[in-house]
Amino acid sequence: MKFKIFRFKKVESTNNSAIRIIKNSNTDYGMIIANEQKSGRGQYGKKWISYKGNLFVSFFYRFDHLTVSLKQITKINCLLVKKLLSMYYNKKIIFKKPNDLLINKKKICGILQEKISKLQKTYLIVGIGINLVKNPNLKDYPTTNLEELLNKKLSKTKVEKQIKKIFEIKLSKLYK
């Protein structure tokens, strides 16, 4: 399985862009990448604060051909993002239900999944926001970013390529 890349300078949200692409094309597997996201969304309609330089990506793929349940693929998607982060940060990374990854009890990543249907096909959209270079200062929820933890600059392009490869390899094994 190969994800077709859709790259944008600025979007409302990468998940909204995925929905639009699914509805207006015949692409079954895609990866939306944006440099800027104006109205990123989190779980329960919460706003995702999207600082330029961070990673904003959404994968979409056919859900109706998977050999696993929604509950199982939700966990798998979180583990795939954790695998990416572990390539850079080799200490403990915690998964906090339903969709956050934490380092040192601080949020570094959020994942938003949405299911949509088109012409008897069902797609899963997996929106991923990772604080690479900057994190929001939230009163009730501590956050962090990867560059701060590592004390070094990262190549966003390299991170994008790595997460694409991780998703392609793992998801290819889960199709009928």
Side-chain angles (χ1 to χ4, degrees):
M1 167 202 301
K2 291 283 183 201
F3 286 102
K4 181 177 180 180
I5 294 176
F6 298 87
R7 188 176 294 278
F8 299 96
K9 287 184 179 176
K10 187 185 278 189
V11 297
E12 289 296 319
S13 86
T14 55
N15 273 28
N16 287 353
S17 297
I19 291 167
R20 185 177 40 78
I21 290 166
I22 291 166
K23 288 183 176 180
N24 296 311
S25 78
N26 291 323
T27 306
D28 284 341
Y29 309 98
M31 177 182 180
I32 290 79
I33 303 168
N35 290 338
E36 288 184 65
Q37 185 174 240
K38 295 189 303 184
S39 302
R41 295 183 280 122
Q43 198 75 4
Y44 311 117
K46 292 181 182 171
K47 180 177 170 45
W48 178 262
I49 298 170
S50 306
Y51 290 122
K52 194 171 183 175
N54 287 341
L55 183 73
F56 318 116
V57 62
S58 289
F59 289 97
F60 66 86
Y61 48 88
R62 291 281 300 274
F63 178 73
D64 47 2
H65 288 175
L66 285 176
T67 59
V68 295
S69 68
L70 182 60
K71 187 175 182 179
Q72 290 168 317
I73 195 67
T74 298
K75 186 173 185 177
I76 290 167
N77 286 329
C78 289
L79 291 171
L80 295 179
V81 177
K82 183 177 178 179
K83 181 176 182 174
L84 169 77
L85 292 173
S86 296
M87 294 170 78
Y88 293 93
Y89 188 80
N90 59 8
K91 295 180 185 162
K92 197 169 190 176
I93 301 169
I94 304 288
F95 169 62
K96 180 182 166 277
K97 289 186 177 184
N99 64 346
D100 293 343
L101 291 170
L102 309 178
I103 295 177
N104 301 327
K105 298 181 181 175
K106 297 178 180 179
K107 183 173 180 172
I108 191 158
C109 172
I111 301 169
L112 176 65
Q113 291 188 162
E114 299 180 275
K115 234 170 55 167
I116 70 163
S117 295
K118 172 191 166 187
L119 303 174
Q120 287 134 14
K121 294 179 185 178
T122 305
Y123 296 85
L124 187 66
I125 301 166
V126 183
I128 302 162
I130 301 176
N131 297 331
L132 291 181
V133 300
K134 188 174 181 182
N135 53 287
N137 187 6
L138 304 174
K139 187 176 126 188
D140 298 327
Y141 206 122
T143 61
T144 191
N145 69 72
L146 206 50
E147 284 192 359
E148 180 180 78
L149 290 166
L150 302 175
N151 200 23
K152 71 175 189 178
K153 292 292 261 176
L154 296 172
S155 165
K156 185 176 164 187
T157 304
K158 183 178 176 184
V159 174
E160 292 167 354
K161 287 178 183 174
Q162 289 168 322
I163 197 168
K164 180 179 184 281
K165 185 177 179 183
I166 288 168
F167 268 74
E168 285 175 342
I169 289 168
K170 180 62 178 180
L171 294 178
S172 292
K173 298 173 183 175
L174 300 177
Y175 274 87
K176 298 175 192 169

